[in-house]
Amino acid sequence: MSDKQDRRSQRTRRLLSEALVELIREKDYNTITVSDIIGRANVGRSTFYAHYQDKDDLFVGELDRVIEVLSRRIPDQEESPFFPSLGLFRHVGEEYELYKALLWSSGIDVLIKHLQKSLSQRIEQGLKQSRKEFDVPLPILANFVAGSFLTLLRWWLDNKMIYSPEQMDEIFRKLTVPGIEAQEVK
């Protein structure tokens, strides 16, 4: 693929992503159609389907992109050692209205399941990179930690972010890190 095509593809993906986010802020996720998205982004239907299977594919692609960007950052000292929990809390805090709208949407289960799977995979990679051995199989441990994170995140949003992202990350780490360390083979 040439540089020009790659830039055009990135631009199209960005336009579609931005259109979806704008629409989520305006109405329930379930009521948004591909037609709404392409109309807002001003791209053709065939262009949309050249990049994505459906609106869920577009949305999970955007979630994956955010997690990837946060994962590439150099974690600060207080960051969880196995995935960017503080960065995710901060990102969600900055985009409160968007994520709150998503949580209130009916039919969002597909996206939550994808996020659980994506986070679990990243956490598992982070745990593997620690080169430690655990009593519990890594996929199970990673899935547990991802589920704990998502549960806390949902609680935080439901309670209008009464704690700062830093406080939530500290709570998350207090609840999960001792359990992970307890599973290390000594």
Side-chain angles (χ1 to χ4, degrees), residues 80-82 134 141 144-145 169-184 186:
S80 169
F82 43 86
F134 299 93
L141 186 57
F144 172 79
V145 173
D169 185 62
E170 182 180 348
I171 291 166
F172 169 70
R173 286 183 291 108
K174 282 181 178 178
L175 291 171
T176 57
V177 171
I180 291 169
E181 290 173 347
Q183 298 309 312
E184 288 179 26
K186 306 290 185 208

Side-chain angles (χ1 to χ4, degrees), residues 2-158:
S2 74
D3 254 4
K4 185 176 180 180
Q5 286 175 319
D6 189 44
R7 283 194 310 262
R8 192 174 3 180
S9 179
Q10 288 173 359
R11 180 181 173 278
T12 300
R13 287 175 174 269
R14 187 185 79 250
L15 288 171
L16 290 167
S17 251
E18 289 171 356
L20 179 60
V21 168
E22 288 173 12
L23 288 163
I24 290 170
R25 291 177 191 273
E26 295 171 13
K27 59 189 200 174
D28 186 75
Y29 178 82
N30 253 7
T31 66
I32 297 169
T33 64
V34 170
S35 293
D36 294 333
I37 297 166
I38 62 177
R40 180 69 58 101
N42 196 25
V43 299
R45 186 170 295 278
S46 61
T47 301
F48 177 90
Y49 286 111
H51 295 278
Y52 301 103
Q53 294 176 350
D54 53 25
K55 73 174 182 183
D56 291 346
D57 188 32
L58 166 60
F59 188 72
V60 297
E62 182 60 16
L63 282 177
D64 285 344
R65 187 193 65 75
V66 167
I67 294 168
E68 180 64 31
V69 166
L70 292 170
S71 295
R72 278 190 266 136
R73 285 188 317 102
I74 297 171
D76 35 36
Q77 291 301 91
E78 297 182 15
E79 187 81 75
S80 169
F82 43 86
F83 93 111
S85 55
L86 178 57
L88 283 169
F89 277 117
R90 285 178 176 159
H91 170 74
V92 170
E94 291 166 3
E95 297 289 340
Y96 171 76
E97 293 300 325
L98 170 66
Y99 287 101
K100 188 61 183 164
L102 280 169
L103 286 178
W104 283 343
S105 292
S106 54
I108 202 69
D109 294 339
V110 164
L111 302 176
I112 296 295
K113 285 179 185 176
H114 176 80
L115 189 53
Q116 169 97 21
K117 181 180 175 185
S118 180
L119 286 175
S120 293
Q121 290 169 344
R122 291 187 185 282
I123 292 167
E124 186 174 346
Q125 289 171 351
L127 291 170
K128 282 179 183 174
Q129 290 172 355
S130 74
R131 301 200 186 283
K132 296 176 182 174
E133 291 193 31
F134 299 93
D135 285 334
V136 174
L138 280 184
I140 293 172
L141 186 57
N143 193 61
F144 172 79
V145 173
S148 298
F149 177 80
L150 290 171
T151 299
L152 277 178
L153 190 63
R154 181 174 228 149
W155 179 90
W156 188 49
L157 290 170
D158 284 342

